[in-house]
Amino acid sequence: MTAATPAPDAPTPRSDVLPLTHRSTALRDALDAGRHVLPPALRARGDQLADQVRDRFRLPDHTVVALAGPTGAGKSSLVNALTGSDAALVDVTRPTTRETVAVVRGDGAAPLLDWLDVRRRHQLDTAGPGLVLLDLPDHDSVEIGHRLEVERLVGLVDLVIWVLDPQKYADATVHEHHLRHLTDHQDVLTVVLNQADRLTPTELRACTTDLTTVLAHDGLDRVPVLAVSARTGEGVDALREAVDAAAARRTAAIDRLTADVVSLAHEVLQHCEPPPTRDATPRNGTHDDRHLVTALGDAAGVPLVQRAAHDASARAARRRT
């Protein structure tokens, strides 16, 4: 069979797309196999994730990076420092980001921003790989709509930069409600300690060390921690280089969605019994637990125990039975 030639304007096919596609299919198979025992809400999230995987790769391959954090952490100032613009409004006395602002580098991102449902957009004139920086509302806002907006977009973007400040970096709300649930997403998460200029060098080292320890207790020992100051520019170049490198690799979307699939597969596995060591009769004549566990193991990255042809034959045999 002759391979199809990509259209001239189409992105070069990536060899790491197939594992994500395979895992997503395996997760959908597992959810279908467990439809009689899994909670409806969990199955609905799985269907939503499968649709998200499908839709994301029909959209422009700009890397989407969200800056999230509490009130007063300096997200908007950091967006402006990273982009060299004044796209994000800044106020020293009160939070100003009431609606997500997108700062865009590169043409053609409109369909992606429509999918994200982000209306406020600022186009940069600078060159470089396609990039979308999102300045999110405060996650601890008193407005419930702001908090829901943060949760929605954090669940869709490719990379998350969680911006903290020296006063509230150990706030239990941040860690218990947000960061602690991202243990499967460490490769697409960065934690920034902003306002480093307010600390002496000794205080900054102690604060950074303590934050790293708190993150390790959250199960996030591999997450990079960067100390920056949006006001003085300290550490901003290093953060910008990390963002630009991610945009140049163009694999952040794959890494994020793979982490989502793995995380959901682990959650579904909690509803399953250990895999049987010998042939077992399907319970109640409705499904075979072996198929569910095998598919989930595949989705989570465990080596396949059965070939695809065998799976298809097993499913056909169950239907006939």
Side-chain angles (χ1 to χ4, degrees), residues 69-122:
T71 303
K75 300 183 300 297
S76 299
S77 298
L78 191 53
V79 167
N80 291 341
L82 287 170
T83 61
S85 71
D86 56 357
L89 296 177
V90 177
D91 192 307
V92 296
T93 60
R94 59 186 176 87
T96 54
T97 306
R98 291 179 167 80
E99 183 179 5
T100 299
V101 178
V103 184
V104 184
R105 183 178 68 194
D107 298 329
L112 177 58
L113 291 168
D114 291 342
W115 181 70
L116 293 168
D117 194 21
V118 174
R119 295 178 297 174
R120 294 183 59 189
R121 308 169 186 184
H122 179 87

Side-chain angles (χ1 to χ4, degrees), residues 13-257:
R14 294 169 295 198
S15 60
D16 52 354
V17 174
L18 182 58
L20 171 58
T21 305
H22 188 78
R23 291 183 183 194
S24 177
T25 301
L27 179 59
R28 189 187 284 273
D29 287 346
L31 292 167
D32 181 64
R35 63 187 178 278
H36 299 290
V37 294
L38 296 174
L42 188 58
R43 300 200 311 270
R45 286 170 50 205
D47 291 338
Q48 181 181 15
L49 178 56
D51 292 341
Q52 184 177 331
V53 171
R54 178 200 64 206
D55 294 342
R56 182 63 180 90
F57 291 103
R58 294 177 177 175
L59 295 165
D61 62 352
H62 288 60
T63 299
V64 184
V65 182
L67 276 74
T71 303
K75 300 183 300 297
S76 299
S77 298
L78 191 53
V79 167
N80 291 341
L82 287 170
T83 61
S85 71
D86 56 357
L89 296 177
V90 177
D91 192 307
V92 296
T93 60
R94 59 186 176 87
T96 54
T97 306
R98 291 179 167 80
E99 183 179 5
T100 299
V101 178
V103 184
V104 184
R105 183 178 68 194
D107 298 329
L112 177 58
L113 291 168
D114 291 342
W115 181 70
L116 293 168
D117 194 21
V118 174
R119 295 178 297 174
R120 294 183 59 189
R121 308 169 186 184
H122 179 87
Q123 185 71 43
L124 296 175
D125 295 329
T126 54
L131 177 66
V132 175
L133 281 178
L134 298 182
D135 180 19
L136 302 184
D138 301 325
H139 79 82
D140 57 352
S141 171
V142 295
E143 296 288 341
I144 184 64
H146 294 176
R147 299 199 299 271
L148 293 175
E149 174 78 348
V150 172
E151 292 176 5
R152 182 183 71 84
L153 285 170
V154 165
L156 291 175
V157 301
D158 305 328
L159 297 172
V160 178
I161 297 176
W162 208 274
V163 183
L164 303 174
D165 63 71
Q167 289 76 35
K168 295 185 288 186
Y169 70 86
D171 184 5
T173 302
V174 175
H175 294 271
E176 293 177 7
H177 292 229
H178 298 280
L179 295 176
R180 197 165 294 173
H181 301 287
L182 297 174
T183 54
D184 287 320
H185 295 74
Q186 297 192 64
D187 294 333
V188 292
L189 174 66
T190 296
V191 173
V192 164
L193 183 66
N194 195 17
Q195 304 173 9
D197 56 295
R198 295 187 176 185
L199 303 174
T200 67
T202 300
E203 291 171 338
L204 180 59
R205 284 193 299 270
C207 195
T208 304
T209 299
D210 189 41
L211 174 55
T212 301
T213 301
V214 173
L215 290 171
H217 290 160
D218 292 336
L220 301 172
D221 54 297
R222 293 190 288 108
V223 171
V225 176
L226 299 178
V228 305
S229 170
R231 188 178 71 85
T232 67
E234 177 185 352
V236 172
D237 286 344
L239 180 59
R240 185 186 299 112
E241 290 173 3
V243 171
D244 285 343
R249 289 194 301 271
R250 298 187 178 184
T251 61
I254 294 173
D255 295 340
R256 168 58 196 263
L257 290 169

